[in-house]
Amino acid sequence: MNIREEDIYNFIIGRTPILVNRILLRNFRKEKLDITMEQWSLLDLLWKKDGCTQHELGARTFREKASITRLLDKLEQQNIVIRVPDRRDRRVRFVYLTAKGKSIEETATRVVRETYKHAIAGIPEEQVLICKRVLNQVFENLAEEGDHWTACETA
Amino acid sequence: MNIREEDIYNFIIGRTPILVNRILLRNFRKEKLDITMEQWSLLDLLWKKDGCTQHELGARTFREKASITRLLDKLEQQNIVIRVPDRRDRRVRFVYLTAKGKSIEETATRVVRETYKHAIAGIPEEQVLICKRVLNQVFENLAEEGDHWTACETA
DNA sequence: AATTTGTAGTTGCACAGGAAACTAATTATG
DNA sequence: CATAATTAGTTTCCTGTGCAACTACAAATT
């Protein structure tokens, strides 16, 4: 294959993710939602399964535990989630949505869905699927190479 | 199309770019290169065209000018680039590679190329091309919607 | 049972991005 | 020509990430 080094930038971690993140943040602000894309990615898990552990949130969003700690700090400051220690294992803290956390699900989900629709407008569905599969394969290829998240943890 | 909100995270700005960035940073460190992925993206432009303006670097990597300022601060501290004011327009500063900046091209490019090869190993070339096109189309779709970078500037 | 090893989460440091306010210089306008 | 609008770049504030050191606790080892 004709390898061009700059592809890895333009292609995977470059301007497209930067722009998507920027637009999504602006769209949240338009709807008076004071959350970030990263915070949303945790909330999205909690809306589906309230009471995850921090470890679980990290494994599923592929973030370092330190990042999870800090994202939850912000969410807790805004009274969107609370951390509840596990009585059986006092190292563990379960993360629960507050009433406020539950109440923003509908609006936030709508913003994300509309932004996503806009992002993929006019692109044939099968191409979007291929793109997703390629990115997932890239993930698998690199995850083998020594990261502490194993495939089974993230699955 | 069957829209799943979480796709926008998993798919475009989620774990794959995070992992690619992480692995690339580690691979730079293994080769004793003290640069980041973001710094590399600027150097890659300079190796092809020395003496870009900061505005140009921002337009081509799709970063805010403030980000460019800070990335160049770091590169200048490491004696990898220097900023030279334009005599004709004293607002403008041209960015030039130093001898050190030129000397790391080969190693840095090799690291990026090998990481990229590893990332796309086993994925049919035509699928990688489709993936790139999809991400570029996503970029175009969202760029229309009110960003100050116009298509012509980034082209 | 006491020590070692492993795990969940936190904190400090360095680096990166977005937005907005700001400076200095240039170009457009009246 | 003088003022207004624009442009290039910097700075500040807030948020997010990686890594490493750290705390607290649990589980395994001897």
Side-chain angles (χ1 to χ4, degrees):
Chain A
M1 181 181 303
N2 187 17
I3 301 273
R4 290 163 55 214
E5 313 70 50
E6 71 264 32
D7 280 350
I8 201 172
Y9 177 75
N10 290 325
F11 167 35
I12 301 180
I13 51 186
R15 57 181 203 165
T16 304
I18 286 177
L19 181 59
V20 170
N21 208 336
R22 199 183 292 170
I23 296 290
L24 212 31
L25 189 64
R26 289 179 190 174
N27 289 346
F28 280 141
R29 293 294 174 274
K30 275 185 201 164
E31 296 287 338
K32 308 295 180 200
L33 284 174
D34 199 21
I35 59 175
T36 65
M37 182 58 209
E38 293 78 10
Q39 291 168 15
W40 175 84
S41 72
L42 299 189
L43 291 175
D44 188 54
L45 295 175
L46 292 170
W47 288 323
K48 282 160 187 155
K49 179 182 172 231
D50 203 5
C52 293
T53 65
Q54 298 191 198
H55 175 85
E56 195 173 351
L57 294 173
R60 291 170 64 94
T61 58
F62 205 69
R63 291 201 171 80
E64 300 281 337
K65 54 192 179 176
S67 297
I68 300 297
T69 293
R70 284 180 290 245
L71 288 175
L72 290 175
D73 287 346
K74 299 284 154 51
L75 287 170
E76 211 168 20
Q77 282 164 24
Q78 296 182 257
N79 287 312
I80 289 175
V81 304
I82 50 169
R83 283 186 267 213
V84 178
D86 184 354
R87 293 190 182 179
R88 298 178 193 173
D89 183 343
R90 281 183 298 168
R91 293 169 304 179
V92 174
R93 304 176 73 177
F94 295 119
V95 181
Y96 288 99
L97 293 160
T98 62
K100 183 179 174 190
K102 290 174 187 167
S103 74
I104 63 178
E105 174 175 4
E106 194 180 329
T107 307
T109 299
R110 179 170 49 76
V111 169
V112 172
R113 187 183 298 125
E114 285 173 3
T115 304
Y116 184 48
K117 268 190 194 170
H118 187 186
I120 61 174
I123 306 175
E125 179 170 2
E126 70 275 13
Q127 293 192 14
V128 174
L129 287 173
I130 289 172
C131 184
K132 278 188 218 178
R133 278 206 302 269
V134 168
L135 292 178
N136 280 331
Q137 188 61 50
V138 166
F139 177 85
E140 297 296 336
N141 285 349
L142 293 179
E144 295 170 12
E145 168 183 2
D147 208 87
H148 64 281
W149 298 123
T150 68
C152 106
E153 275 184 284
T154 56
Chain B
M1 180 183 300
N2 187 17
I3 301 271
R4 290 163 55 215
E5 313 68 53
E6 70 265 30
D7 279 351
I8 202 172
Y9 177 75
N10 291 325
F11 168 33
I12 302 180
I13 51 185
R15 55 182 206 165
T16 303
I18 286 178
L19 181 58
V20 170
N21 209 336
R22 198 183 292 170
I23 297 290
L24 213 30
L25 189 64
R26 289 179 191 175
N27 289 346
F28 280 141
R29 293 294 174 274
K30 276 183 198 163
E31 297 287 336
K32 307 295 180 201
L33 284 175
D34 199 22
I35 59 174
T36 65
M37 180 60 208
E38 292 78 9
Q39 292 168 16
W40 175 84
S41 72
L42 298 188
L43 291 174
D44 188 55
L45 295 174
L46 293 170
W47 289 323
K48 282 162 187 155
K49 180 182 172 230
D50 203 7
C52 292
T53 65
Q54 299 191 195
H55 176 84
E56 196 173 350
L57 294 173
R60 291 170 63 94
T61 58
F62 205 71
R63 291 199 172 80
E64 300 282 337
K65 53 193 179 175
S67 297
I68 300 296
T69 294
R70 284 179 296 242
L71 289 174
L72 290 175
D73 287 345
K74 299 283 153 49
L75 287 170
E76 211 167 19
Q77 282 165 25
Q78 296 182 256
N79 287 311
I80 290 174
V81 304
I82 50 169
R83 283 185 266 211
V84 178
D86 183 354
R87 291 189 184 178
R88 298 180 194 171
D89 183 342
R90 283 182 297 169
R91 292 170 304 180
V92 174
R93 304 177 74 176
F94 295 119
V95 181
Y96 289 99
L97 293 159
T98 63
K100 183 178 174 190
K102 289 172 187 168
S103 74
I104 62 177
E105 174 176 3
E106 193 180 328
T107 308
T109 300
R110 179 171 50 75
V111 169
V112 172
R113 188 183 298 122
E114 285 173 2
T115 304
Y116 185 48
K117 267 190 195 170
H118 186 185
I120 60 173
I123 306 176
E125 180 171 2
E126 72 274 10
Q127 292 192 13
V128 174
L129 287 173
I130 289 172
C131 185
K132 279 188 218 179
R133 277 207 302 271
V134 168
L135 291 178
N136 280 331
Q137 187 61 51
V138 166
F139 176 84
E140 296 297 336
N141 284 350
L142 292 179
E144 295 170 13
E145 168 183 1
D147 209 84
H148 65 282
W149 299 120
T150 66
C152 107
E153 274 183 285
T154 57

